């Protein structure tokens, strides 16, 4: 009776804490990945600009890398917005 109900309540509370911790960790990982891709995109664009100024090859790989990183950031942000609207 009462002991079993108390154990179920404690297990439900522990499960809720686990869900909240996992959600927070997922959000942190998501934004770290987005920031890393943004930095890599910026760095690749800067490298492409410097290579073009020197007369070196600048389209591949630096400009291509920059475009892929920017596309990755846009996909991540789009996914975040889609998920946010869906969960409202």
């Amino acid at each position: 009776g009462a002991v079993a109900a108390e154990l179920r309540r404690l297990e439900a509370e522990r499960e809720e804490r686990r869900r909240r911790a996992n959600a927070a960790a997922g959000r942190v990982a998501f934004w770290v990945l987005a920031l890393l891709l943004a930095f890599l995109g910026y760095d690749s664009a800067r490298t492409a600009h410097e290579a073009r100024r020197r007369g070196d090859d600048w389209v591949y790989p630096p400009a291509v890398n920059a475009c892929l990183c920017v596309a990755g950031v846009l996909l991540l942000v789009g996914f975040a917005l889609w998920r946010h609207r869906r969960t409202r």
Side-chain angles (χ1 to χ4, degrees), residues 53-66:
R53 195 169 34 90
R54 287 191 314 260
D56 294 341
D57 289 338
W58 61 275
V59 173
Y60 182 79
V64 172
N65 287 346

Side-chain angles (χ1 to χ4, degrees), residues 44-81:
S44 294
R46 189 172 48 88
T47 301
H49 176 70
E50 289 173 4
R52 185 166 192 249
R53 195 169 34 90
R54 287 191 314 260
D56 294 341
D57 289 338
W58 61 275
V59 173
Y60 182 79
V64 172
N65 287 346
C67 290
L68 290 174
C69 289
V70 169
V73 170
L74 292 175
L75 281 172
L76 282 173
V77 171
F79 176 74
L81 290 174

Side-chain angles (χ1 to χ4, degrees), residues 24-37:
R27 283 190 298 273
V28 168
F30 177 88
W31 288 112
V32 166
L33 178 61
L35 288 172
L36 177 65
L37 281 173

